[in-house]
Amino acid sequence: MAVAERTWGAFKSFVLYQETIKAIRDDMAALSRDVAALSNAHADLRDRISRLEGVIDGVAMAGRQRRIEG
């Protein structure tokens, strides 16, 4: 009886470990998707900031040219 109980306990532990590993894999996949989305958002933000800096530089140059001409 003791052997059967230990065998059953080992089997239950094995199944629980498998479920735990699957949950960890799912969490890692979700985290990977989140990191990819964050990376894309960062790239989009970088592009928007670059465009804004270009507009600001253009306005500053136009203002300097007017002062020189005027």
Side-chain angles (χ1 to χ4, degrees):
M1 190 74 164
V3 173
E5 288 175 8
R6 278 189 261 146
T7 303
W8 180 248
F11 177 74
K12 283 184 6 182
S13 294
F14 178 74
V15 170
L16 289 174
Y17 285 133
Q18 280 185 326
E19 290 177 5
T20 301
I21 289 171
K22 183 185 179 312
I24 290 171
R25 283 183 184 159
D26 292 344
D27 289 346
M28 287 177 61
L31 182 59
S32 178
R33 286 189 301 272
D34 290 347
V35 168
L38 181 60
S39 177
N40 290 336
H42 177 266
D44 291 343
L45 183 59
R46 183 193 62 222
D47 293 344
R48 291 178 71 185
I49 289 172
S50 293
R51 287 193 301 271
L52 284 172
E53 287 174 339
V55 169
I56 291 169
D57 288 345
V59 168
M61 284 182 170
R64 276 189 247 135
Q65 287 177 351
R66 279 193 207 128
R67 280 187 235 135
I68 292 172
E69 292 171 1

